[in-house]
Amino acid sequence: MMVLFVLCPLQTLAEKIITPATLAGGSIVSVSEAKELLGKAQFYDMRKVINFGKGHVPGAVSIPLNSKSEKTENFDVAKDELDMTKFPQDKKSNLVFYSDGPYGWKSYKASVIAIKNGYSNVKWMRDGFESWTKAG
């Protein structure tokens, strides 16, 4: 009998935690719904600057979230850093956040932070930029 052990770095396992399927106080939009919001909402790309440079939603603003909290629905907002100076002053503005799809915690966390700071029209493109690209 042969036993095969597969070693997997802990960091890789931690990165594969799927994001919540709901967004309290906001809404999840599909790629097609997000495309309908082009020109009607401000898009925020939460990925690393290098990834933003490789491609992004037209008109999106790059705001990489410095995430130090756990990848959990009830994360500690105080542990994460988000440059909110790039957000509009009008708290009723349409905001769309995205990152790396269902495993992209940065966009989920940014959406939650925006909601907790009083923004009332927060949308989260949970499927992320890869799905946006695949959809053409």
Side-chain angles (χ1 to χ4, degrees), residues 48-61:
K48 293 178 181 179
V49 174
I50 191 166
N51 292 332
F52 180 83
K54 293 177 184 177
H56 53 270
V57 171
V61 174

Side-chain angles (χ1 to χ4, degrees), residues 44 46 87 95-99 107 110-111 114 122-125:
Y44 293 97
M46 307 312 297
F87 287 10
L95 310 178
V96 180
F97 295 91
Y98 70 91
S99 57
S107 56
S111 298
V122 175
K123 292 153 186 64
W124 174 35
M125 188 173 72

Side-chain angles (χ1 to χ4, degrees), residues 14 19 26 34 42-43 55 58-60 69-70 79 87 99-100 110 120 127:
T19 55
Q42 179 59 63
F43 284 72
S69 64
E70 293 185 21
K79 290 184 177 180
F87 287 10
S99 57
D100 295 318
S120 58
D127 289 336

Side-chain angles (χ1 to χ4, degrees), residues 73-120:
E73 190 170 352
N74 297 315
F75 67 98
D76 184 352
V77 176
K79 290 184 177 180
D80 296 329
E81 297 173 12
L82 179 63
D83 181 5
M84 294 188 63
T85 63
K86 295 183 179 182
F87 287 10
Q89 294 294 318
D90 182 0
K91 302 268 181 150
K92 294 179 183 177
S93 298
N94 284 316
L95 310 178
V96 180
F97 295 91
Y98 70 91
S99 57
D100 295 318
Y103 297 98
W105 279 90
K106 290 180 179 184
S107 56
Y108 171 76
K109 290 179 177 186
S111 298
V112 170
I113 291 168
I115 292 165
K116 288 186 183 257
N117 279 276
Y119 287 89
S120 58

